[in-house]
Amino acid sequence: MKKLQTLVAQLVVLILALLSVPSSLAVTLAPLPGPVQKIYDRTDKAVLEGRPGASWLWGPRVQDSQEDYKESPNGKRQVYYFEKGRLEITNPAKDPNDKYYVTSGLLLREMITGQEQTGDNQTIYHGPANVPLAGDFNPGVKDSPTYASLLNLVSFDGSWKSNDLTGKPVTLVLGLGGAVRTQSELAQGVTIAQYVSQTGHNVAKPFIDFMNKTGTVYQNGQYVANQPVFDPLYVFGLPISEPYWSHVTVAGKEQYVLVQAFERRLLTYTPANQEPYKVELGNLGLAYVQWRYQSAPVATDNTDPGYAPPAETDGFKLYNKINSAMQTLTSVKRVINSGGQVVSTRLYQAPDRELLQDAVVYRGQPAIREVIYIGKRIYQRYNPTGKPAGSWFFMDSETSFSWPQNYSFFSNVSINDWSQNWEAGAPVQAGADVVQPLNSSTTDIDGSKYNRTRLVSTKNNVLVNYSINRTLPDNSQLSQNEAFGEYNAPLNIQPPAGAQAVSAVGQDWQAAVSPLIGTDLDLQHLRESIQPQRVLVKFKNSLSTQSFSSLKADFDTQYTALSVAKGWENTGSNLPVLYYVNDANMVETLASLRSNPLVEYAEPDYRRQNFVTQFNDPRYADQYYLKAVRAPRAWDASTGSKNITVAVIDSGADTENPDLKGNIAEGFNSYDDSNLITDMGGHGSWTTGIIGAIGNNGVYGSGVAWNSRLMVIRASGDDPETFSDSSIIKALHYATDHGARVINMSLGSSQDDPALRDAVAYATGKGVVVVVASGNNGSNVPQYPASYPKVVSVGATGWLGQPTNFSGFGGTVTLTAPGVSICNTVRLGLFTCADGTSASAPIVSGAAALILAVNPQLNADQVRAILIASVKPVPGKQPGQRDDKYGYGALDIATAVRMAATNQIPGLPA
């Protein structure tokens, strides 16, 4: 026994010497504390005593350390490193018999993300570890992966998930830098045995068998046979990656080893080993010591600087704790007070019901609007003050209302999507309860400043109150207060008797739909309302331009209620005609127009929303997203060209903003046929700045293509957040006809309008690169114009490079770009941050402008092909393979510009 212990000690010294660990670490180590020794002995004592078949769980002891940890006494905790892991005592005052008195840490998370944990919510960024995942620490093959190679292939919180591949062979090969390829012959019978839904990863059968094996363990002073060797969740945690084969050297011999990362451990499977040593724990403790104590290099790139994602602060934790608590409720009452008056009362009942009563003005009179949501059906009626209540009518949505699981107000947020600055305050007494405040201060893109406060009960973490104070740009104040209560009270929300379908409401159809606009229920078809009494009519192509005037005269005679809108009198037969429907039944008029043999189509003039979601303040002014897409390296080749015009169809722009003024070369208002492009909402100024805000001028930040020529087209009317199809159609034709090479549209809806489809086809047919946001609906419901042929549809990623929870997805998404905390110019000469695919699209439009700047001879298809071929591939997939959330992958501007500059012009994917 003594001889074996001596050999182990010599082995440790040898390992330390080989790894060049500072000699100060190779000291005599004190005996382990009892609770740590107990955990160690349970499995590893058998190895020290030479029992057959025993294998290391912790391995030889390497180093003891006193390390900084905010929550520990005096800010220090005791840590014990072993070859294959670490054990630590964070709080010695706890009960030593508690299962979690000794913990093992999330070493893999730290090494992969580069974030050294120095407190529950405190980290120091080192950069991901360039230490080999398996095999020799000085690998003899150049593509041997490191911990840094897993950075884009792991998910810690299930924010993105792999498909369930149970029973499928393991054929993926991981290379240096995260490269993934398929090599079917490597499977050697190894298959996926289990899919873990919490983190969305598959686990290889050898690892499942290993974690669940039974054997002899040492406990209570004796060896006990036929016991579970491991507590899998405590020892390994959940899987955070897929299993990958890796090309490594072991003692200088090349071979393929299967590796898989879990929250707390790395497992390896070496087919060439003898049983029971095929599956082993990776040398995580040694690798971590190398990384943390800087005796091995970290993953750094001086040309492409990295950025640190936000940390899980107390505010972040409390925000999600509230939402988690609210999602456990079966019912709740929410009373909204504005200006000292109750304006809305809402009752929510699980799983799919809501009753709301809003104070509104209906036909010029005060009224109460009642709406009942039950699954996919929406009921509504009006109760005018002093008059009999109106009749109930209903309409059906495409998606079912779900409460509280899918209700956005109570949704948890991952670090990938975090863009708010909620800060937890000190608890205060509030009557019989003690509440803790959660405060947020933000600046909106329209220049408004918001102060928000959530009050949460410390008894059960449910929301008690939510208040909003808004300071408008003119310094006037608006406030709103929301009280929550009557949790889990018995409710009985039922469908009202005698309700009629909305199509039967007749003349009141438009009046019935319009008041639904602006409710907090995220139903796209309600928010994308129809412009009041406006219709787009496209006449058949067989009609000549010469006959158009007589045709119009016939229509004036036949449809006495129709009148041509201003600016649409002489559109000719290549464009639809926008008509006002005056004092007529919209439903009947549409039916009549569609049945007319001269009409190709007749569609309502749909509204489309901009795709901006949450907002934030300027603390993110470092513009991390430029680094994420490698724009700084691309700028070595080009910062844009004044010979390339990028058109932005949006809400206008702040022409006096110092970061935009020099690049806006042309403006047009497609809503009222004027040159007025003043931005009343801030959205257009934001998207325009993301594309082409002037760089290197000492003002605010930079656009992606900051030396480009910008054409600003305002397509919004009085409401800067919505855009009528008629305005978008005219804008597309104007931009195309006036020389735009790239058109950006950060807008859309779920309505497929043939008139809009034709206008997009006109632009793409003329060789324009049309870039469109995929939408913020967080679903695969198709959005238009993003789903039209030949457009570049862009989804949003967050801080960790993973798709955001709001990003629209589906088979038409082309690629992704950052969409969380995107900071740039807004109206009133300001600079602030916001979220949305509205930001992702202009980042890609800027990339298209840079591609054309270095190679203006490229056509639109070639630009699209370069954007696709140059992406960072979808995690876990080979280049060229797409995914409904990532598209073909994440935007990489530097590679795209390099391809254009060296005439590497790929073909479009089939």
Side-chain angles (χ1 to χ4, degrees), residues 610-621:
N610 60 48
F611 288 139
V612 62
T613 56
Q614 308 158 349
F615 310 107
N616 218 317
D617 61 23
R619 72 181 184 272
Y620 295 108

Side-chain angles (χ1 to χ4, degrees), residues 617-630:
D617 61 23
R619 72 181 184 272
Y620 295 108
D622 61 342
Q623 297 182 297
Y624 80 94
Y625 61 94
L626 295 173
K627 303 170 187 175
V629 298
R630 300 209 301 155

Side-chain angles (χ1 to χ4, degrees), residues 535-539 548 552 563-565 568-569 571-572 575-579:
V535 62
L536 284 160
V537 178
K538 176 69 163 58
F539 298 105
F548 182 77
K552 179 180 178 299
S563 59
V564 179
W568 294 79
E569 298 90 344
T571 58
L575 276 174
V577 181
L578 178 64
Y579 282 100

